[in-house]
Amino acid sequence: MGHFRTPQVVLFTRDIDRATAFYGALGFREVFRTPEAGTPIHVDLALDGYRLGLATESSTRKDHGLSPVADGQRAAVILWTDDVPAGYDRLIGFGAKPIKAPSPWLDRLLIAWVEDPDGHLVQIVQHHIQPQDTVDIPTR
């Protein structure tokens, strides 16, 4: 029996050029597209070894006979960062819709939520140091 490998998530979109530009602005780089010329029906992007696919809703219906949903909160892309507030502002600047401003979670993380242009959730997260965990360094 074989084993699974190289997991990937594919998000469905009605505007693949817009979705590709959005994730490209976040640092994802394009590693595959079909067709190579003109408007693609599928694009794969990679960031830090993680692969994210984008597929057009119409081609998924036509080519595979499926009924994909191209918008709404059906999945979440999680992005770790060292500065959630700056990342949150950056995503909004790229056209993301603000959902939840940065806030502590589980007493150890700082998170924020936005929606990409198709309504898919994107969470920005960082390790969070509590005020009681900080050390005051005396100044001279």
Side-chain angles (χ1 to χ4, degrees):
M1 179 179 218
H3 65 279
F4 298 109
R5 60 178 165 63
T6 320
Q8 173 180 349
V9 170
V10 173
L11 301 177
F12 301 110
T13 180
R14 290 190 182 101
D15 188 337
I16 198 159
D17 291 326
R18 178 189 67 192
T20 300
F22 177 80
Y23 285 100
L26 303 184
F28 283 84
R29 86 183 152 77
E30 189 174 309
V31 294
F32 171 81
R33 86 169 25 219
T34 190
E36 291 183 19
T39 301
I41 61 169
H42 187 104
V43 174
D44 284 351
L45 303 151
L47 177 67
D48 288 339
Y50 179 77
R51 200 161 171 141
L52 176 68
L54 301 171
T56 61
E57 178 187 36
S58 59
S59 73
T60 303
R61 288 180 191 285
K62 179 183 169 199
D63 296 344
H64 304 293
L66 301 176
S67 299
V69 177
D71 54 14
Q73 298 179 351
R74 301 207 171 11
V77 174
I78 311 302
L79 299 172
W80 284 84
T81 183
D82 294 327
D83 188 344
V84 165
Y88 180 75
D89 290 342
R90 186 173 177 217
L91 286 167
I92 292 167
F94 292 144
K97 176 184 172 187
I99 298 298
K100 186 170 186 212
S103 62
W105 187 60
L106 298 178
D107 294 329
R108 65 180 182 273
L109 299 174
L110 183 63
I111 65 170
W113 293 91
V114 299
E115 286 182 350
D116 76 5
D118 287 298
H120 301 292
L121 288 168
V122 178
Q123 180 191 64
I124 310 98
V125 61
Q126 77 180 78
H127 292 285
H128 179 60
I129 298 174
Q130 292 296 307
Q132 67 269 18
D133 297 334
T134 60
V135 177
D136 290 324
I137 300 172
T139 57
R140 294 182 190 185

